[in-house]
RNA sequence: GUCCCCAUCGUCUAGUGGCCCAGGACGUCGCCCUCUCACGGCGAAAACAGGGGUUCGACUCCCCUUGGGGAUACCA
């Protein structure tokens, strides 16, 4: 017990679609656990289903992990490429009498299931070839190889999340480890790969919990050490049903496109199903320092956008203005929202950065920042939204006309200069500041909502500001 | 059908027999701040699924019921 092996975790997605949020979280947990223990975090692509695996999906998985900031160690392992090794193990099992050829046809299997179902008996293979002599093999039938699993006793999966899970061995039938076409199946491949890769801790979705029992038996048959297991409950949708593609399960790329920050995603995902006391907001470094398997919850959780948004808003407010500006421009352009030929030159970027502290204060996502920055891109004469139009009634326009000379006379154009002038004006007119500020805001931004109006005017610049105000004055 | 897992506010969760007539966070609702909206501050409503045990004492341990979820493939 003294020579503790280095911790090795892995993330093993099958490339049949984008990297969904549940996968992202398991990857995060595995990554955190490896980093926490100065171990390695490996990536294995389970591409043995040749029909459904695609290169695009593999790329999406890489992209998703990179965006989440989950760098894996070493080379990526492709399971399909290791077929020969998997078959080798199957043959070893065969040699040791721990596996056997089974000539049962799919039709027979089907009948077996029908019958079992009709009689209300458990649906599983009856082991008809388990002890039969190979000489009885029918002509021309390509056999599968089945694992000879113990019939008596029980298999215990010691799970860090679920505790000890016991399976009666009679429940576990002899599973196929090599198909009739000679290709190995999942349960064999995972065991061989995890063993060969030196994986010490398997952290994965709890839909694999029953597999863990079967896999434990294979480890035992080969005389290999069984790794530590941690089966994490799945994430459900807002309606409580399993988060699936039909249920609006989204790829991590979708979250990026919605303007969420990776640091916020990491924080949110870490907190979803895992806890460190009452801590809600913590950095990735803290998560690495704190992460453990014992505080992963056992019950499934639901994905809550409202909380993610709140967290994202927090990280946006914390983030550097320049970085935020650049990321927003990148996102808006990639999404085609700002592809209208509007200026994205250094001038716009500078204005965006200057206005950022005010804009990010009221943004929950990068998309919100984009929206909040519209007033910087707007061209005269400004289009007014409904609220702004309502604000700019005849009285307000007259007020702006009276205000204009005051503004023209402002010496500097810093927010403080403008504010002082406007406050004096309001006082002279015997008006509350709001009565002047709102029409001003409507004229300057075309909206009833914006960052503090004097900041807005300052970043807009003297000429542009006065122009916009004159446009609405009457 | 069979097997396995789960069950605290609407949601994420703290809680590992007495510190809990249950704490935090998001959301919701008030109030304050205020040039709008936000941010921020203060406050409120809001939960131990039900029933049996065990115990001097159960949110915490055991059993049952109910309700969710997962697995039962020559998919992974």
């Amino acid at each position: 017990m003294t020579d503790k092996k280095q911790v090795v975790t892995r993330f093993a997605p099958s490339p049949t679609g984008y990297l969904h949020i549940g996968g992202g979280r398991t990857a995060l947990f595995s990554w955190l656990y490896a980093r926490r223990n100065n171990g390695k975090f490996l990536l294995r692509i389970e591409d043995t289903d040749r029909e459904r695996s695609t290169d695009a999906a593999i790329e999406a998985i890489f992209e998703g992990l990179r965006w989440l900031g989950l760098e894996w160690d070493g080379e990526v392992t492709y399971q399909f490429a290791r077929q020969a090794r998997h078959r080798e193990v199957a043959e070893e099992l065969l040699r040791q009498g721990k596996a056997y050829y089974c000539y049962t046809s799919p039709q027979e299997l089907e009948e077996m299931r029908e019958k079992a179902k009709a009689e209300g008996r458990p649906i599983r293979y009856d082991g008809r070839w388990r002890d039969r002599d190979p000489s009885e093999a029918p002509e021309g039938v390509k056999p599968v190889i089945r694992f000879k699993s113990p019939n008596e006793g029980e298999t215990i999966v010691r799970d860090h999340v679920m505790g000890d899970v016991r399976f009666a061995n009679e429940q576990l039938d002899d599973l196929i480890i090599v198909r009739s076409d000679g290709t190995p199946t999942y349960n064999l491949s995972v065991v061989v790969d995890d063993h060969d890769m030196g994986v010490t801790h398997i952290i994965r979705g709890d839909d694999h919990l029953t597999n863990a029992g079967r896999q434990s038996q294979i480890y035992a048959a080969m005389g290999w050490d069984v790794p530590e297991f941690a089966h994490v409950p799945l994430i459900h949708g807002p309606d409580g049903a399993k988060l699936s593609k039909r249920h609006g399960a989204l790829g991590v790329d979708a979250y990026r496109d919605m303007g969420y920050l990776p640091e916020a995603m990491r924080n949110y995902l870490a907190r979803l199903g895992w806890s460190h006391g009452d801590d809600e907001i913590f950095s990735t470094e803290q998560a690495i320092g704190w992460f453990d398997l014992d505080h992963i919850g056992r019950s499934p959780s639901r994905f809550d956008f409202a909380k993610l948004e709140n967290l994202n808003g927090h990280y946006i407010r914390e983030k550097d203005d320049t970085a935020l500006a650049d990321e927003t421009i990148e996102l808006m352009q990639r999404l085609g929202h700002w592809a209208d030929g509007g200026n994205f030159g250094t001038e716009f970027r500078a204005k965006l950065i200057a206005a950022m502290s005010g804009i990010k204060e009221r943004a929950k996502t990068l998309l919100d920042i984009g929206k909040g920055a519209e007033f910087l891109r707007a061209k005269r004469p400004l289009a007014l939204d409904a609220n702004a139009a309502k604000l700019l009634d005849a009285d307000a326009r007259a007020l702006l006309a009276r205000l204009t000379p005051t503004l023209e006379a402002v010496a500097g154009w810093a927010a403080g200069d403008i504010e002082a002038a406007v406050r004096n004006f309001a006082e002279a007119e015997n008006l509350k500041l709001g009565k002047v500020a709102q029409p001003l805001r409507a004229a300057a931004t075309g909206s009833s909502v914006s960052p503090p109006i004097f900041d807005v005017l300052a970043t807009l610049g003297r000429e542009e500001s006065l122009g916009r105000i004159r446009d609405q004055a009457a």
Side-chain angles (χ1 to χ4, degrees), chain A residues 3-14:
Chain A
D3 57 331
K4 270 171 84 181
K5 277 194 293 184
Q6 185 193 33
V7 166
V8 178
T9 65
R10 48 59 156 192
F11 178 54
S14 57

Side-chain angles (χ1 to χ4, degrees), chain A residues 328 332 338 359 363 365-375 377:
Chain A
T328 301
M332 295 304 275
W338 283 359
I359 294 174
T365 67
L366 254 28
L367 254 29
D368 289 345
I369 291 180
K371 230 175 284 163
E374 282 303 334
F375 76 88
R377 302 189 336 114

Side-chain angles (χ1 to χ4, degrees), chain A residues 63-85:
Chain A
E63 265 299 304
L65 289 175
R66 275 195 282 257
W67 178 71
L68 277 174
L70 308 181
E71 287 299 324
W72 55 91
D73 299 307
E75 294 296 303
V76 176
T77 298
Y78 291 88
Q79 193 161 62
F80 180 65
R82 294 177 39 80
Q83 273 204 12
R85 160 97 261 241

